[in-house]
Structure formats: structure tokens, C-alpha cells
Amino acid sequence: MRTRLLLVVPSLAVVALGASVAAAATTDVPWPQYQGSAARTGDATEAPAPPYTVAWSAATDIGDASHAAGIPAPVIADGNAIVVGRESVDAVDLANGQVAWSAPRSLGPSSPAAVVGNTVLFVEGGGDESVSASGSPSASPSATASVSSSPVKSSVPSAVASPSATTTTSTLVAIDDATRHRLWTIGLSGVSHTGVVVAGGVALVGADDGTVTAVDPATGEQAWRVDVGDHVLAPMAADDAQVYVCVRPESNGTAQLVALKLTDGSEAWRYQPTGSVVDLGAPAVAMESGTSTVYLVSSDAALRAIGADGTQLWADALYTATSGSPPAVSSDAVYVADQSGTVYSFDRSTGAERWRFATNHGAVGAPIVSATAVLQPTSDGVVTAIAPDTGHQIWNGSVADSAIFGLAATSDLIVAAHTGSTPGLTALQADPSGTLTDVPSPTSADPSGLAIGWLAAALPLTAALVLLGRSWDERRSEPLLAPTDEDELPVDPWEADLEDDET
Amino acid sequence: MSNGKKKRKGPSGSTSTYRTPAQSEQPRRGLLDGLLAPRTPGASPMPKLRTTIAKGTQTALGIPGLLIAIPVVLLVVWLILVALGFQGPFTALNVTFAIPPVTTFADAQVAGRTFRAAVDATGLSATLPGFVGLAGLLLVHAALSAVIATLCVEQLRTGGTSRWALRRALRVIRTTAAIGLLGLGLLVAGNLIAALFGSIGVILGLVGSMVVGIYLFGFAPAIAADEDRRVSDILIRSVRASRMPGSANLWFAIGYVLLALITVVAPLPGSAVGVTPAISAWAACILVNLFGVLVQAILVYRYLVVASEVPEQPPPRARAATR
């Protein structure tokens, strides 16, 4: 984007550098898909370093804590942060935090959009799945929905960006980000929670009926469509050749990770973990020495690395289960957070745990990793920055009063999508006047602190209780339930046994 | 060691060795009669709750060794758990001195985080670590409960305590371990009910199973410490004691379970993940566990007061009695 600007209007680059560094920078490092790219690695290498301060906040249609559903995580393109809300898709200008545009959307679970060129792809419809929903259209996963029905495609650009009528299934929608006109829509056979992933020239979307649909993002023509067997609920990841899909069983059974070839949707391999694993989280895929490795969490509170041929490379136990968000992956480490808010760093190659930091804020959204910090959003609106090398907390700050669903990054902003009393987007920027901390994890042993804490609490309390008991005891001349004769005394089993032996 | 509390060992069997069993003939009642039947004033041999609480508290606070043991045991248990991989929350220790199945409820959580099978383990290797860990925790609680019961019995009977109580506790452990196992069974049943009936099932199943466990078997440690009986006789006698008329034992059990659960789920100090509890967390944990000790002392006192009134045999069925 920046290149295009420089070619077309060279002088604007000078102006941008001098007068609006932020605006120029935001177009420098786009974040066009969930977790930054189709790989979902959360790679924010060029993101600003902590400490941060709030740059702006913008209200959008994400919904409050009881009305939000899905993963309304932001994406960034063309200087805007775009988030899929309950009944609209909203774009917020990164430069000033003002809503740049808003496009209507049929009610359905929010899931991350994807941007290809000037086209914004998102999913709409499927009904209300928020906790506030009552008697709403059924949006529960159903494996019985027909997958043979042809998708209903409409390629006529609408004059206005009107949403589809509320339906019990979802629709993939493409709009022009300049005009917000609908370029095309394609109906899906189930409710989609996965969001859109774009890789290998196709846009892919999964549905709860087990289908994965690949579409030409330019025309809306279906490239292929396959049924992977059971519910597809988690966001998918892709590299240049394959898309990785987590399949959750209807009731009993074991979850699976399926690799589909982007060219025709044929199955490359299928991984099924050993043991009782009823669900797998969203995958992230990273290349190393020309081969891909998929990293994902499983419902048995483990992080797993799956090789290019579908074999498990390593697996590590986490302290508690996770929310299923994809791990963040850097050049040498994998970062993941569990539900208790403990963030872990594992060696990418060996799976050896490098460190863990207990934020003690429940984690819902996925972490992202910059050159200087691992940023973990939490369920109570806090963003925690942890040093990748030491595992110590170097900054944390409150962004909202409820869950942060996801982060996106540019070279000068961190954008958080959150629910709460004022749901929407909040941007963080570097705070030159702020200070960094160096807080070790509460899970690190501190023998002296332990001893001091115990002594300071135990000694006075015990002394007070003993003195209280003694003062009561002194007033009492006899046992509370003194026996009336010797026969009522309790038996000493050992001495009674000895007496028996003697006799 | 001897404190002079020796006596001739009675004949083997289930009868008390030092107390003449009550032989009152009263119609056998249904299960719920003990809870719901109207009572006449002064009909119950059970002391009033207010009196029971005061005397039980006085009993527990009159045993310095027990008071000192609370923070010491908590520290030892915490160090062992942390060494085994537990990282909190520290509030899991708030029920260390509680009564099963309240303890079992927390033990299941601790065992799940501490004694985990390896990733991808299957079959026995997947379940054995958790089972062994849970059994170990159950035994720890059984031992603590046994010691508390015997100390309280000795304190109430003689006005002091000695090593006799610890030796006696070795025999009481089998009873308290059995109570723990029964509590585990009740919790499993409660979980099934909870799974079947949703949020109402959680109240009916989990809370109900705890109340039932404490209501029926709350007196068992006291009986085991005070009388030479087989475990099965002790459990049956505990049920009979709990069902004595006008006892208010059910309300006592409900109140205790609710308060105990609050101490587990409330955001008390120490409810975060971490291995270095703060002073406030230690203080809260010590006080909450003192509460557990007091409740056990209260149950011991309550039983000893009515011990001679608890029928040895089930009363004949009303129909048979009228024939």
C-alpha cells in the first residue's frame, strides 16, 4: 500500500512522514486477517514497544458482555481497524479513532473478517448466540444439515449494503471497502464461527455442519467445498499449500485436525490426538526450514505441535484448559495462555517450556508477539505485556471493563476489540513517559516471602487463639463432659491390647 | 505413655465398652420423619445449637496443640503440593481441616491440577495418577479428622489432651477414611444429578450430596474416637444419632456446607494462581480452617452429650410394635 502511494503521489510520502507518521505507519504494516495473517501466528514484530497509553477508543457494535458472541477480533487495512459486530461491520480510522464507515450485517455470531485488496470479506447471519438470546433462531451446531445443497450465490453488486434477511445459516459476504457496496454473497449450509481465511488465492470459511467452502475472493465463485465430517467451529489457519481445520465431534469421539489442499480441497492428512480430546483450539501454522508446523491447544489442557505430515512432534501440558485461541508464534518460541491467565513460552523445536507467567486474569483472546513483548489480552479488559526472554511482566494496563476478544497491531498502535459497558475498539500507543516494570511470575518460588508471610500470619493468630483458649480453660474447673465413673473413660487401644497380652 | 485412662477391654463386638446402651423402645420412623416430624418442646436430648457451638468452640480452643497444628499442617501441605506441581489457588487449602465431602470437592480440583497424567496417556496410566493423588489427599483429611476427633473427645472427657489421642487416632482413621470414600461416592452421584438437571442440579446434586454426607456421617469420627465399634456400626450409629428428634442437625449441616463452599469459591486472599501466599492469604486460610476444626469439635461435643441416648438397635416398625 505504501509503495502504491509513493508511486502515484510521491509528494504525499514526504507529507506523511513529516506530518502524520502514524497514518503512514499504519498502512506500512497491515493486519488484514485474524492474528495478522492466514498463518494466525500473531506476528506483530513491528508493533510499538511498551509501555503504552490509550490513544483512542471508539464505540462499535460488538455488544456488551451479555450480547456479544463469537470472536469479534479486529483486522487492519487501508488505515482502518475493521471489526465484525452483531449487526454491522465497523471500520475505525486508526489516525483519529473516528468511525470511518459502518456496513449493516445480518445478526449472527461475530467472527473475524479478512481483507483482500479493496474487498472486505465477512460472514453474516446464523442467529443470536449471545447469552441474552432467548427463543432466537437455532444456532446450535448441527451435523445433520444438508451439505449437498448448492450455495446460493449473488454476484450482483447491490446499490446499498443491505444485509441478508436473518437466517439460521450464515452467508459469506464481500463488500467494497470504499463504497461498502456488496460485491457478492454466497450462502453457507450451516452457521459459521470460523471467520474468513484467505490463502492461495481463495477465501475459505467453515461451518458448524462440517463443511469448508473455498471461494474466489474476486468473483465469489465457489472453488470447492468439502465436508470434513463434523463441526468446524474454530478459526482455520493456512499456509501457501494447505488449510488446517479443527473438527469437533458431535458428542462422543475425538477431535481431529484436517489438512486440506488449497487447490482442490482434497485431504492431505488427518491428525487425531491420542486419549480423550473432545476439542481442539484454533491452529497457527509457522514455517521452519521450508516445512510447516501447526501449533494448537487441545481440550485436555495441552499444547501440541503437528508436523508437515500430520504426525505429532511434541505435546506439553498446561496448568488449566484454554479458551481455544490460537497460539502466537515467533521465530523460536510458541506462546499460549490458559483460562487461568497463565501465559507460557515453549521452544518451537523441542517443546521445552521456557517460562510461564500467571497474569491471574482469565484469558479469552489470543496473544500476539512483538519484538519486545508478548501481549496477552484478558477477560477483564487488561492487556499484559511480558518480556519474551525473561517471562517477566513489563507492563499491564486496563483497556476495558470486560473481555478483550483480540488484538491487532500496526507499527505504532495496538488495537483491542472488547465488550463491556462501552464495547468497541481501543488503541494503545507507545507512552514515552511511562515506566516499565520487571515483575516475576507469582508461580516463581520465593522462599523468603513464603516464610515471612506464614510467620507474620501464623504467629500472632495462633498466639491469640491459644491465649483465648487458656483464659476460658482457667475458668473451667472440670471437663465439659466429665465421666461419672471410671468405666466411661475412653479406651487406650494399645495399652488395652498389652493388658490382654499379659493376661 | 499413660494418662491413667485405662480400662478393661470389652468383648469384641459392636457394643460400647463403657456405656450402657439405651434400650428405649420407640416406633421405627421413616427416613424423613427425623427431619420433618413435629417436635414437642424439650423432647430432644440434643443440646441447643447455641450451647453446642459455645461448648464446641471452648473445646477446640482449649487444645493448644491443635491450634498450633493448624498453621503448621497448612504450611507442610502447601510445600508438598507445590513440590508436586500445584500452583494454586491457595484457597484450595481452605478446606484442609473441613469435613468430607466438602474436602473431597476441593481435593478433586487439587488432584486434577497436581496429579495429572502425561499428555496422550490412555487407559490406566491416564487415570491412575489422579486416582492416587485423590486417595492420598483423602487419607490426609482422614488422618486430620481422626486426630481432631480424638483430641476433642479426650479434652471433653478429661479436660486435657495427651499422646493417647494420637494413638487412638490410628484406629479412628479407618472410619474417617471410610467417610471420605462415602463422600466421594456422594459427590460422584451429585455430579451425575448436576449433569442431568443443569443449574438446579448443581444445587441439588453437589450441595445436596455434601449436606447429606455431613448430616449422616458427621458424628462418625466422634463415635469412632469414643467407642470401640466396627466401622459399619459406627456409620450406622452416626446415622441414628443424626436422625434423633429435634436435633436440628440438618440445618447445622446445611449452614456448614454453605459457609464452607463460600470459603472455597469466594474471592478470599489467595484465590489467584501463585506459589507464595501473602500474609492475608495465610491469615484467611488459618481462620477458615479454624472454623473447620470448630465445627468438628462441635459435632464431637454434640454427639457425646447424646451418646447414651442413641439407640443401639433400630426401633421396631410401628406396625410390628402395635401387634
Side-chain angles (χ1 to χ4, degrees):
Chain A
M1 178 59 67
R2 184 185 176 197
T3 306
R4 191 177 64 183
L5 285 172
L6 288 172
L7 287 173
V8 177
V9 194
S11 59
L12 284 181
V14 178
V15 173
L17 286 171
S20 181
V21 174
T26 53
T27 57
D28 212 7
V29 185
W31 190 275
Q33 299 193 49
Y34 177 53
Q35 287 293 94
S37 67
R40 313 300 202 203
T41 55
D43 179 8
T45 309
E46 298 187 39
Y52 303 115
T53 185
V54 172
W56 49 257
S57 290
T60 68
D61 182 39
I62 290 175
D64 59 32
S66 63
H67 290 85
I71 311 169
V75 299
I76 291 173
D78 290 340
N80 290 327
I82 301 168
V83 64
V84 176
R86 282 168 59 80
E87 293 184 275
S88 68
V89 179
D90 303 306
V92 176
D93 190 331
L94 292 173
N96 54 28
Q98 300 296 312
V99 175
W101 54 260
S102 183
R105 166 185 186 261
S106 178
L107 180 64
S110 301
S111 56
V115 180
V116 184
N118 295 324
T119 303
V120 179
L121 302 165
F122 64 90
V123 175
E124 70 175 4
D128 191 355
E129 293 190 351
S130 66
V131 295
S132 63
S134 177
S136 59
S138 171
S140 59
S142 170
T144 57
S146 169
V147 296
S148 59
S149 57
S150 300
V152 179
K153 175 183 172 289
S154 167
S155 59
V156 180
S158 55
V160 291
S162 58
S164 307
T166 301
T167 60
T168 55
T169 57
S170 300
T171 302
L172 177 60
V173 180
I175 64 171
D176 185 294
D177 72 346
T179 64
R180 268 74 70 197
H181 287 173
R182 293 196 167 211
L183 304 175
W184 51 261
T185 62
I186 184 167
L188 305 174
S189 54
V191 179
S192 177
H193 304 76
T194 64
V196 187
V197 60
V198 179
V202 290
L204 301 117
V205 63
D208 62 358
D209 63 351
T211 56
V212 176
T213 304
V215 178
D216 183 337
T219 65
E221 291 295 330
Q222 178 179 305
W224 49 262
R225 190 178 198 212
V226 296
D227 184 353
V228 293
D230 227 319
H231 304 307
V232 177
L233 302 173
M236 304 178 294
D239 54 23
D240 292 338
Q242 294 170 336
V243 61
Y244 302 94
V245 184
C246 290
V247 184
R248 191 173 82 175
E250 169 71 26
S251 53
N252 296 324
T254 303
Q256 298 173 333
L257 174 69
V258 181
L260 302 175
K261 294 177 181 174
L262 288 174
T263 50
D264 57 4
S266 60
E267 189 172 310
W269 48 260
R270 186 176 284 249
Y271 160 77
Q272 181 168 312
T274 310
S276 177
V277 178
V278 296
D279 203 1
L280 292 169
V285 57
M287 298 288 288
E288 189 171 20
S289 305
T291 58
S292 295
T293 302
V294 180
Y295 303 93
L296 76 171
V297 294
S298 49
S299 58
D300 58 344
L303 173 67
R304 297 165 184 272
I306 315 301
D309 58 352
T311 56
Q312 182 172 294
L313 302 177
W314 51 261
D316 276 306
L318 309 176
Y319 193 53
T320 64
T322 76
S323 64
S325 296
V329 187
S330 69
S331 59
D332 60 348
V334 186
Y335 305 95
V336 68
D338 67 18
Q339 282 178 338
S340 72
T342 299
V343 183
Y344 304 77
S345 171
F346 294 96
D347 185 279
R348 255 184 73 174
S349 303
T350 66
E353 183 178 322
R354 293 179 164 185
W355 50 256
R356 65 175 65 182
F357 184 92
T359 66
N360 281 310
H361 300 276
V364 176
I368 65 173
V369 55
S370 73
T372 54
V374 180
L375 300 174
Q376 176 62 51
T378 71
S379 58
D380 55 357
V382 171
V383 174
T384 299
I386 303 168
D389 51 348
T390 64
H392 290 191
Q393 177 183 291
I394 52 177
W395 180 86
N396 82 327
S398 181
V399 169
D401 54 7
S402 194
I404 300 176
F405 294 108
L407 301 175
T410 70
S411 56
D412 62 346
L413 290 177
I414 306 291
V415 180
H418 56 82
T419 178
S421 57
T422 54
L425 301 180
T426 296
L428 298 171
Q429 64 184 6
D431 181 9
S433 61
T435 55
L436 292 176
T437 60
D438 185 29
V439 180
S441 173
T443 54
S444 302
D446 178 13
S448 60
L450 182 75
I452 291 169
W454 182 80
L455 287 170
L459 289 183
L461 267 178
T462 308
L465 291 169
V466 168
L467 287 174
L468 179 64
R470 288 207 166 211
S471 69
W472 279 2
D473 233 19
E474 285 168 1
R475 294 180 204 163
R476 196 178 61 203
S477 56
E478 289 185 345
L480 285 172
L481 294 173
T484 54
D485 56 56
E486 190 184 356
D487 238 9
E488 287 195 349
L489 288 171
V491 179
D492 184 331
W494 285 13
E495 296 195 10
D497 289 343
L498 285 173
E499 284 179 4
D500 288 348
D501 292 342
E502 286 168 6
T503 57
Chain B
M1 173 190 168
S2 173
N3 61 354
K5 294 191 290 293
K6 292 187 290 186
K7 72 171 288 296
R8 182 165 34 84
K9 187 176 182 182
S12 61
S14 62
T15 56
S16 168
T17 54
Y18 50 87
R19 186 172 298 110
T20 304
Q23 299 295 331
S24 60
E25 292 286 335
Q26 51 182 306
R28 188 172 183 175
R29 295 172 288 114
L31 176 66
L32 294 179
D33 285 358
L35 313 179
L36 305 176
R39 310 292 170 206
T40 55
S44 173
M46 285 276 179
K48 288 181 179 176
L49 271 181
R50 191 170 51 190
T51 306
T52 312
I53 291 169
K55 298 293 186 185
T57 303
Q58 190 176 353
T59 301
L61 293 184
I63 309 173
L66 185 55
L67 300 176
I68 294 168
I70 293 174
V72 173
V73 168
L74 290 175
L75 178 63
V76 171
V77 170
W78 180 246
L79 290 175
I80 292 173
L81 285 179
V82 169
L84 291 172
F86 187 66
Q87 297 191 334
F90 181 67
T91 45
L93 264 63
N94 282 357
V95 293
T96 304
F97 286 85
I99 305 171
V102 172
T103 54
T104 318
F105 174 71
D107 288 347
Q109 296 178 333
V110 173
R113 293 185 176 186
T114 311
F115 306 101
R116 285 188 58 188
V119 177
D120 291 336
T122 56
L124 192 61
S125 60
T127 55
L128 194 59
F131 178 78
V132 170
L134 192 58
L137 291 169
L138 191 147
L139 278 177
V140 168
H141 291 303
L144 292 174
S145 184
V147 171
I148 293 169
T150 51
L151 282 172
C152 290
V153 165
E154 194 180 12
Q155 175 76 6
L156 284 164
R157 292 291 195 202
T158 69
T161 56
S162 66
R163 277 166 34 198
W164 172 88
L166 298 179
R167 292 206 301 271
R168 177 73 182 171
L170 292 173
R171 289 205 170 185
V172 178
I173 282 178
R174 54 190 177 185
T175 299
T176 50
I179 297 167
L181 280 176
L182 286 169
L184 184 61
L186 283 169
L187 265 186
V188 171
N191 271 306
L192 291 175
I193 294 171
L196 286 175
F197 296 100
S199 55
I200 294 176
V202 171
I203 298 172
L204 288 174
L206 292 178
V207 179
S209 64
M210 291 182 200
V211 169
V212 167
I214 289 167
Y215 170 67
L216 294 180
F217 306 120
F219 293 131
I223 299 169
D226 193 48
E227 302 169 14
D228 272 346
R229 291 175 182 270
R230 290 182 304 211
V231 173
S232 56
D233 291 336
I234 289 168
L235 297 178
I236 291 169
R237 190 168 172 80
S238 176
V239 174
R240 287 197 190 118
S242 68
R243 295 179 58 217
M244 289 181 76
S247 60
N249 289 328
L250 180 63
W251 296 115
F252 184 80
I254 291 172
Y256 169 66
V257 166
L258 292 179
L259 283 172
L261 286 179
I262 287 172
T263 66
V264 175
V265 300
L268 293 174
S271 56
V273 171
V275 298
T276 310
I279 297 171
S280 57
W282 280 112
C285 189
I286 290 168
L287 290 174
V288 170
N289 277 288
L290 173 68
F291 170 67
V293 170
L294 295 182
V295 169
Q296 297 205 48
I298 287 165
L299 287 171
V300 169
Y301 173 80
R302 200 164 173 76
Y303 173 74
L304 293 187
V305 168
V306 301
S308 60
E309 307 287 335
V310 179
E312 282 298 321
Q313 300 295 330
R317 292 212 173 267
R319 186 183 300 171
T322 56
R323 263 179 206 165

